[in-house]
Amino acid sequence: MFSLTLTNGVPSKSHFSHRTHHFNRTHHFLHSPLIKNPSSSSFSSPIRCGIRELRERIETVKNTQKITEAMKLVAAARVRRAQEAVINGRPFSQTLVEVLQDINQRLRIEDIDVPLTNVRTVKKVALVVMTGDHGLCGGFNNAVTKKAEIRIRELKSLGLDCVVISVGKKGNSFFKSRNFVHVDRFIEGGSFPTTKEAQAIADDVFALFVSEDVDKVELVYTKFVSLVKFDPVIHTLLPLSTKGEVRDVNGNCVDAMEDEFFRLTTKEGKLALERDVVDRKRGECLPLMQFEQDPVQILDAMMPLYLNSQILRGLQESLASELAARMNAMSNATENAIELKKNLSMAYNRQRQAKITGELLEIVAGAEALTPID
């Protein structure tokens, strides 16, 4: 190798540049991501960002983690209240349904006509679809809308018309962007279900059924089972009848195959599942139960309460399921943010260490280049 030296014995600039270029090529080859470490069993492509970009991404992920963790805590605090409302409201709604069915059975024996319990030939069905007002809750809203869409297509395959009452902003936006079904009314839910909100929906359902615009009303909502399990279900709201009794003009049953005929109750302070027998024989009212008024008057007074309680129960179940889904989704998002922050920190430390090592090696190479050659 030729080198030109000055009179004081210091190497020339061309000699320094040549040795530095040779070191940089060797250093780049040894630290190239294409060179796999023999000691590592697997290879993952590195994050290709600069140190400044990595630092900014780490700060962004930290802020996102704080947001998701806060939303998780808020949902966990609210889901407890919603769960208590669901559990406390179930005994009343179940007992009310049993009493109404007993009275309705007695009225049928006496051949008395009650509008809300009349089983007519089904030509049009109304679906009350309950969704959430906000997102960031996993597949909660998508599961309900998909359930409603499948049910609508099933009814249309039977030659029946459908009309939808949409409750919740997510459901409203879903049905507004699609024109495969007529929507009678769009309703936006509140922060927590109230009897006033349920009464507004019940009045609309009552008007549709009594005026014979629809012959059957079904409730599509999410059944709250536990904090990690909630399923979209279909519940027949009107008429008040047993499964398989409501049929179309061709005599086909129009009840959903998975129509909700099971009840979730509490047993020793815990949730328990009790499945009702669909074809059980129901006799008359209990011997100790006596009616001071005419059964028709009692039924007319209790049917609005029945509609309100069932719709309120559906709203409470949907809210509890939405909050549980959001709590789980934000928990998963927080865990993903922690894992991403860990990977970004490792990449940042590697690049920072490589930069420091490169600077030290350049200093050493420069000092060696300044050493006189014998």
Side-chain angles (χ1 to χ4, degrees):
M1 181 177 62
F2 296 95
S3 62
L4 298 176
T5 57
L6 301 178
T7 55
N8 56 359
V10 179
S12 65
K13 183 177 181 181
S14 61
H15 172 75
F16 177 76
S17 300
H18 175 74
R19 297 183 66 176
T20 304
H21 177 68
H22 175 72
F23 163 76
N24 288 336
R25 290 182 60 189
T26 305
H27 180 265
H28 175 74
F29 177 77
L30 292 176
H31 290 80
S32 173
L34 299 177
I35 303 301
K36 181 178 177 180
N37 187 3
S39 61
S40 61
S41 59
S42 61
F43 177 77
S44 60
S45 59
I47 301 176
R48 299 183 180 277
C49 291
I51 295 179
R52 180 178 298 177
E53 288 80 3
L54 282 174
R55 190 184 299 115
E56 292 177 354
R57 289 186 63 182
I58 291 173
E59 292 298 325
T60 302
V61 172
K62 284 182 179 179
N63 295 334
T64 304
Q65 179 187 349
K66 293 178 181 178
I67 295 173
T68 55
E69 192 169 1
M71 293 183 67
K72 172 188 172 183
L73 296 176
V74 171
R78 293 185 60 193
V79 75
R80 182 177 180 181
R81 179 186 174 189
Q83 185 179 7
E84 291 177 353
V86 169
I87 295 176
N88 294 333
R90 279 173 181 164
F92 171 77
S93 61
Q94 293 168 12
T95 305
L96 181 61
V97 170
E98 293 177 358
V99 172
L100 285 175
Q101 288 177 348
D102 288 331
I103 299 176
N104 187 34
Q105 184 69 22
R106 178 175 175 180
L107 292 178
R108 289 189 179 186
I109 295 174
E110 298 178 1
D111 195 16
I112 299 177
D113 185 20
V114 179
L116 292 180
T117 60
N118 285 341
V119 180
R120 303 190 294 263
T121 301
V122 178
K123 298 179 182 179
K124 192 172 185 179
V125 180
L127 295 178
V128 182
V129 184
M130 296 182 176
T131 59
D133 290 334
H134 307 285
L136 298 177
C137 52
F140 167 77
N141 294 307
N142 187 32
V144 180
T145 54
K146 185 177 180 181
K147 187 81 170 180
E149 186 176 3
I150 293 175
R151 180 57 177 164
I152 291 170
R153 299 188 186 281
E154 179 184 352
L155 293 173
K156 287 187 175 181
S157 65
L158 296 175
L160 304 178
D161 294 333
C162 296
V163 62
V164 171
I165 300 176
S166 178
V167 182
K169 294 180 181 179
K170 291 299 179 179
N172 295 347
S173 61
F174 175 82
F175 288 109
K176 285 179 180 178
S177 61
R178 293 164 176 80
N179 56 359
F180 64 92
V181 65
H182 172 67
V183 181
D184 180 74
R185 186 178 179 186
F186 294 100
I187 302 175
E188 295 185 1
S191 58
F192 197 81
T194 59
T195 55
K196 183 178 180 181
E197 181 181 352
Q199 188 62 44
I201 304 173
D203 292 341
D204 197 5
V205 170
F206 179 83
L208 287 175
F209 190 80
V210 172
S211 62
E212 297 187 2
D213 291 338
V214 297
D215 304 304
K216 190 173 189 287
V217 181
E218 295 180 348
L219 199 62
V220 184
Y221 66 102
T222 306
K223 167 70 69 175
F224 178 78
V225 180
S226 65
L227 293 177
V228 294
K229 182 175 176 58
F230 23 84
D231 303 318
V233 296
I234 300 175
H235 174 64
T236 300
L237 194 61
L238 289 174
L240 189 63
S241 60
T242 58
K243 186 176 181 180
E245 190 176 358
V246 182
R247 298 179 179 273
D248 60 2
V249 292
N250 298 322
N252 299 321
C253 178
V254 298
D255 289 333
M257 296 299 296
E258 64 280 6
D259 199 347
E260 184 206 3
F261 275 86
F262 61 88
R263 307 297 181 192
L264 282 169
T265 58
T266 56
K267 184 178 181 180
E268 297 180 357
K270 298 181 180 179
L271 290 177
L273 178 63
E274 294 181 357
R275 185 173 294 274
D276 292 338
V277 180
V278 177
D279 55 352
R280 66 179 179 180
K281 297 181 180 179
R282 301 186 60 89
E284 297 182 356
C285 301
L286 296 176
L288 298 179
M289 183 179 297
Q290 296 180 356
F291 298 102
E292 295 183 356
Q293 296 179 345
D294 185 54
V296 177
Q297 297 180 358
I298 297 177
L299 197 60
D300 290 339
M302 293 181 67
M303 283 303 294
L305 183 61
Y306 159 76
L307 288 176
N308 193 304
S309 64
Q310 292 298 312
I311 293 175
L312 180 62
R313 177 188 172 187
L315 293 173
Q316 291 174 345
E317 298 262 4
S318 297
L319 178 63
S321 302
E322 179 187 358
L323 293 174
R326 181 172 293 110
M327 183 181 66
N328 294 330
M330 293 300 101
S331 177
N332 295 333
T334 303
E335 294 176 359
N336 294 336
I338 294 174
E339 184 68 20
L340 180 59
K341 184 177 66 174
K342 179 181 177 181
N343 296 335
L344 291 174
S345 299
M346 290 175 63
Y348 173 77
N349 292 333
R350 286 196 189 99
Q351 290 198 15
R352 188 167 61 91
Q353 184 179 5
K355 182 178 180 181
I356 295 173
T357 303
E359 292 176 354
L360 290 175
L361 291 176
E362 288 180 359
I363 293 173
V364 173
E368 184 181 353
L370 294 175
T371 304
I373 301 176
D374 296 336

